[in-house]
Amino acid sequence: MTAGDRLDAERSRATPAPSERFHEPWPGPRPLVWAPRAHTVEVVLTDDDGATARHPMRLVGAHEPGYWRADARFPHGTAYSFSVDGGPALTDPAAASLPAGVHGPGRILDESFGWHDDHWPGADLAQGALLHLEIPSVTAEGTLDAAARLLPAVAALGVDGVELSPVAAFDPATGPQAGVRLFAVHEPYGGSRALQRFVDTAHRAGLAVVLTLPHRWAVADPLHLHHFGPYSAGARIRARRVADGGADAPRINLDGSGSRGPRDLFIADARRWLRDFHVDGLLLDVEVLVDRSTVPFLGELGEAVQDVAVRTGRPRTLLTDGPGLSDRLTTIVHRLLTDGVDGPAGDLQRLAEETGTPARIPVGLRRALRATQRSGGFVGDLTRLPAATRAAPWSRADGAPQSASAGDHAALLAFVLLAGSPAVLDTERVPVHRDTPDARRLTSWTRRLLALRPSALADIARPLDVTTHDGVLTVRRGGTAVVLLADPAVRHVDLSGRLLPPIGDWRVAAAWDEDDTHLVAGALRAPRRSVVVLRADARPVAADLRTPSTEPA
């Protein structure tokens, strides 16, 4: 580590974002930019006729090296860019509004809003359940306002909140992989006002809002951030979760010389959503935020988030995906349902062995996660249903046919009941945006499962016990068990070797095919390929799981 790196690390230990240090909003009416290698920086104003005027910016001072600030505060709606050393106009990396696109001028944004969520207490998301909403595809309109109309139905499920796909601005012609502007809300989704309306509506409905931050493409080469400073580390990393065939993404400079600027940018972005947009949590692309510095960026970010929580009096959470055992169980069950008991994933004994094997975490990621745990406010190892993954690009059209049956969807939902980490449901299996008999039945099933989840979480300290035999999968944690008749030929299950005695203490708490499911003297009878939730001394299944007889078959 060089002397400059050590200085950056020392300054990062308790350094607030520039908006806190300078007592100025960032972004705000007085443009600010980090350009540590520049000799001159100008703010370029563009009027409605396209004419431009350049005004010199000044260095903030030796105490904040590399930062340039405009002398004047500009009115809301002013279109502006930056010019470094007399070069072409460049988009502000922290532009709050980009009506002309991600390569056009930013606009000074009026972010005042008449909030109605004064009584919203915040949410503890450590073991909660979220519904993942893909804004461009969950409604025909593909906007935040259209998605907000679904929130009453989402709240009726009993989830704790929603997880939004990224709303960061990108070029629709090239997609998010060509670069995103973290601070600006994508205009086709409705812009920043629509996000404020969405969060306000969610809070009034009793729902938390978690926003996904697409850090992976925040320093992509087409954004030209290299004209300002070393936002990219130069080396390239393989983006493991990128779904476009494994494209490379520039590595964010979080630990090299000049890393203070990128760190400031990302921390200011996080503060902005949590403080100014009242968002309750942020989902991080943690794999691209790992660094080798003495003060890991994730730890610094966690401290900043906790500072916002203290200042606002509401809990704030950073969430990360991880290799949790519950998540692996859900993934393997999905393979089992997809491939069948005789398919590649049909070896049930192997399933039991896989779910009991500790996951291997890369050393760098393990070190970074330890730093997040020390700072507090982090929740990891989300248990995701398959369609609730981070899409890449997330702007894809939703038209893929559903190959699984409603019963298979119900089975996968039941296993999420046992997840100890936060559960992230998807709208393929919880179709709140559709009005069909299967959709109504699945949403009723989800309500019942979520009502049972608190009793399952009471046994969270107990390990998962997986039993596989004769085409039947039984997963138990404490007083809750889920039984899946995976083999279509099986309709009768002897529970005596699968659950702890006394077997008579177990009752059917929920069954997808309730009218045809019976538990008598330790013998369970259920339809083929059915799922049943059992509880020790549980009450019978609620009647609202039935599809009303007035609905079409």
Side-chain angles (χ1 to χ4, degrees), residues 416-463:
V416 177
L417 174 68
L418 296 174
S421 54
V424 185
L425 312 179
D426 60 44
T427 52
E428 180 180 336
R429 289 162 185 83
V430 191
V432 293
H433 57 312
R434 298 192 179 99
D435 187 19
T436 65
D438 276 349
R440 290 191 288 273
R441 191 178 178 198
L442 280 167
T443 54
S444 293
W445 173 249
T446 303
R447 283 196 296 272
R448 180 57 181 149
L449 292 175
L450 290 174
L452 289 169
R453 195 160 188 256
S455 58
L457 291 177
D459 295 323
I460 196 61
R462 302 189 182 188

Side-chain angles (χ1 to χ4, degrees), residues 18 84 148 178 237 275 337 496:
V84 176
I237 58 171
R275 180 190 58 212
L337 292 167
S496 59

Side-chain angles (χ1 to χ4, degrees), residues 38 97 130 144 167 217 250 253 352 396 425 465 507:
S97 176
L130 303 170
L144 284 156
V167 300
W217 300 303
N253 179 20
R396 75 196 191 289
L425 312 179
D465 178 35
R507 300 287 186 272

Side-chain angles (χ1 to χ4, degrees), residues 130-139 142-155 157 159 161-167 189 195 198-199 202 207-212 283 384 387-391 394-396 398 424-428 430-434:
L130 303 170
L131 182 66
H132 178 84
L133 295 181
E134 290 280 336
I135 295 303
S137 62
V138 75
T139 65
T143 64
L144 284 156
D145 285 332
R149 293 195 289 270
L150 299 175
L151 291 175
V154 174
L157 293 172
V159 295
V162 295
E163 178 203 77
L164 291 182
S165 62
V167 300
Y189 297 166
L195 180 60
F198 183 95
V199 175
L207 295 169
V209 177
V210 172
L211 180 63
T212 302
L283 176 67
R384 291 184 174 278
T389 56
R390 189 189 300 113
W394 60 86
S395 57
R396 75 196 191 289
D398 183 25
V424 185
L425 312 179
D426 60 44
T427 52
E428 180 180 336
V430 191
V432 293
H433 57 312
R434 298 192 179 99

Side-chain angles (χ1 to χ4, degrees), residues 172-368:
T174 55
Q177 306 98 313
V180 300
R181 300 290 187 183
L182 289 178
F183 286 72
V185 178
H186 198 45
E187 290 295 330
Y189 297 166
S192 60
R193 278 282 184 264
L195 180 60
Q196 289 172 318
R197 289 192 294 268
F198 183 95
V199 175
D200 197 45
T201 302
H203 286 173
R204 284 187 286 168
L207 295 169
V209 177
V210 172
L211 180 63
T212 302
L213 298 183
H215 293 112
R216 187 173 302 274
W217 300 303
V219 298
D221 293 339
L223 299 176
H224 302 299
L225 298 186
H226 58 278
H227 289 293
F228 293 100
Y231 283 94
S232 171
R236 308 183 78 83
I237 58 171
R238 178 62 58 180
R240 180 169 66 86
R241 294 192 184 186
V242 176
D244 61 357
D248 286 333
R251 182 176 179 271
I252 302 168
N253 179 20
L254 296 175
D255 54 8
S257 178
S259 60
R260 184 68 262 159
R263 286 185 176 224
D264 282 346
L265 187 77
F266 293 151
I267 289 174
D269 180 60
R271 284 181 177 271
R272 165 178 162 79
W273 303 122
L274 297 170
R275 180 190 58 212
D276 301 334
F277 285 75
H278 295 202
V279 167
D280 301 278
L282 301 172
L283 176 67
L284 303 180
D285 193 356
V286 68
E287 294 172 359
V288 300
L289 298 179
V290 172
D291 62 272
R292 297 164 295 178
S293 63
T294 56
V295 181
F297 170 71
L298 287 175
E300 184 181 354
L301 180 60
E303 291 175 0
V305 169
Q306 289 310 296
D307 177 66
V308 174
V310 170
R311 290 172 183 246
T312 60
R314 291 178 181 170
R316 296 297 200 278
T317 307
L318 293 175
L319 297 98
T320 65
D321 285 305
L325 295 182
S326 296
D327 190 44
R328 295 167 72 201
L329 171 64
T330 307
T331 301
I332 294 169
V333 171
H334 179 244
R335 293 203 330 252
L336 174 65
L337 292 167
T338 302
D339 297 331
V341 71
D342 296 322
D347 186 345
L348 296 182
Q349 184 56 42
R350 181 182 165 204
L351 170 63
E353 294 170 355
E354 287 189 33
T355 56
T357 304
R360 299 185 64 181
I361 305 176
V363 174
L365 180 56
R366 186 165 59 244
R367 179 172 170 271

